[in-house]
Amino acid sequence: SIGQWLFRHDPLFVRGQQRARAIMVCNRDSMRIIPKKWSHKVHLFPVSGVTTEDLSVSPSATKNSGEFNVFSVGSLIRIKGFSLAVKAFKVFAEKHPDSRLAIAGGGPEESRLRQLISDSNLEDRVDLLGPIPRSEVMTRMASSDVLLFPSLRDGGGTVVIEAMSVAKPVICLDIGGPGLHITETCGIKITPGKPQHTVQMLADALEQLYLNEDLRKELGQAARERAKQMYHWDRLGERLMDIYQPLIRQVPID
């Protein structure tokens, strides 16, 4: 946080914003910190997208029947909030033992997460998959019931868009990129608060989707359509040109 504050007040960065004809930011949190005098130049523009190939992945590729599968993926670092995911899953799984959580990714938090899983008596319900190829991530995501992604600081949130592309409802925190990508029509966003309250809200969201298969399908299909219309690279290219074209006709900046 200190580093970001210093960067935002760096004279070269400030001068760049002043001279820019357009300022593109990837989430509303970034938009809010742009000085009001430059707000007319700001455009929301995601840093992540999906391909036609991503959208062709079958949402029910390898669905395992009889079990509610929760998937989460990312670098195992503290700000990604995987400890919140494990704690929320514990609360949820105590009521619904026919469920399983898989976490893909590697990083310095792995040993702490393994200890948390052990202390929570979840060794037989939570799988730490380690780093896996993106193709396997997409396949596992497509065969899951929901993506749980409680990242505490995530400007882009690529994994959220990937989950949307394979028609999966997303549970995330209403901050950063995920808070921009997910709407009430395609997932459940939790306003972060005190840790225990946030854990309970995440667990409640899991239960809501567990109990309502029709809602899961409805949110998933809406997520897929949103990914197609808003985050396909072709659509993003068109949006970029919509920003650039008026600017290149302006008088050059001194």
Side-chain angles (χ1 to χ4, degrees):
S1 297
I2 293 173
Q4 288 191 343
W5 187 92
L6 291 172
F7 177 76
R8 290 196 297 267
H9 291 80
D10 181 280
L12 291 177
F13 181 65
V14 173
R15 177 60 173 162
Q17 291 179 301
Q18 182 180 20
R19 298 187 68 242
R21 295 175 183 173
I23 301 172
M24 291 184 287
V25 296
C26 61
N27 57 65
R28 293 188 180 90
D29 297 328
S30 297
M31 176 178 278
R32 282 192 288 267
I33 64 173
I34 298 293
K36 289 184 178 180
K37 59 184 176 182
W38 296 326
S39 61
H40 65 284
K41 300 190 290 184
V42 176
H43 301 266
L44 272 173
F45 192 86
V47 294
S48 304
V50 291
T51 65
T52 300
E53 182 180 4
D54 294 332
L55 290 164
S56 69
V57 176
S58 172
S60 56
T62 57
K63 175 68 180 160
N64 296 316
S65 60
E67 200 168 48
F68 184 77
N69 290 286
V70 182
F71 188 64
S72 196
V73 57
S75 300
L76 302 187
I77 55 178
R78 188 161 295 192
I79 61 172
K80 293 292 185 179
F82 287 110
S83 61
L84 292 175
V86 172
K87 292 175 181 178
F89 181 77
K90 173 178 171 58
V91 175
F92 164 73
E94 286 176 350
K95 295 176 65 176
H96 306 288
D98 57 332
S99 56
R100 191 168 203 90
L101 169 65
I103 300 174
E109 281 289 283
E110 181 175 348
S111 60
R112 197 170 78 90
L113 286 173
R114 288 193 182 279
Q115 187 61 53
L116 176 60
I117 292 168
S118 176
D119 293 343
S120 303
N121 296 316
L122 290 172
E123 295 98 323
D124 61 338
R125 308 305 308 159
V126 178
D127 300 312
L128 290 184
L129 305 176
I132 60 176
R134 184 175 183 274
S135 59
E136 185 177 347
V137 168
M138 296 299 289
T139 300
R140 284 183 172 271
M141 196 178 287
S143 63
S144 67
D145 291 290
V146 59
L147 177 79
L148 176 59
F149 190 67
S151 181
L152 297 162
R153 185 186 293 273
D154 208 301
T158 300
V159 65
V160 168
I161 300 173
E162 291 172 336
M164 293 165 62
S165 75
V166 293
K168 294 304 161 185
V170 175
I171 298 172
C172 65
L173 301 184
D174 190 10
I175 51 178
L180 171 67
H181 308 323
I182 297 302
T183 67
E184 62 182 13
T185 65
C186 59
I188 300 176
K189 297 189 291 188
I190 304 301
T191 301
K194 294 182 178 180
Q196 192 53 47
H197 175 73
T198 303
V199 164
Q200 185 61 57
M201 293 292 287
L202 292 169
D204 291 345
L206 284 171
E207 183 173 42
Q208 181 180 355
L209 295 180
Y210 171 89
L211 295 173
N212 194 333
E213 182 178 359
D214 290 339
L215 178 61
R216 294 201 305 270
K217 292 179 179 179
E218 179 184 335
L219 294 176
Q221 288 303 318
R224 188 183 182 92
E225 186 62 26
R226 180 170 169 79
K228 181 180 179 181
Q229 297 299 326
M230 300 290 293
Y231 296 101
H232 190 285
W233 285 117
D234 289 349
R235 302 289 83 75
L236 291 178
E238 293 169 1
R239 288 169 60 189
L240 195 61
M241 288 305 297
D242 288 341
I243 296 172
Y244 280 7
Q245 287 290 352
L247 302 178
I248 60 179
R249 292 194 291 266
Q250 294 179 9
V251 177
I253 296 175
D254 293 334

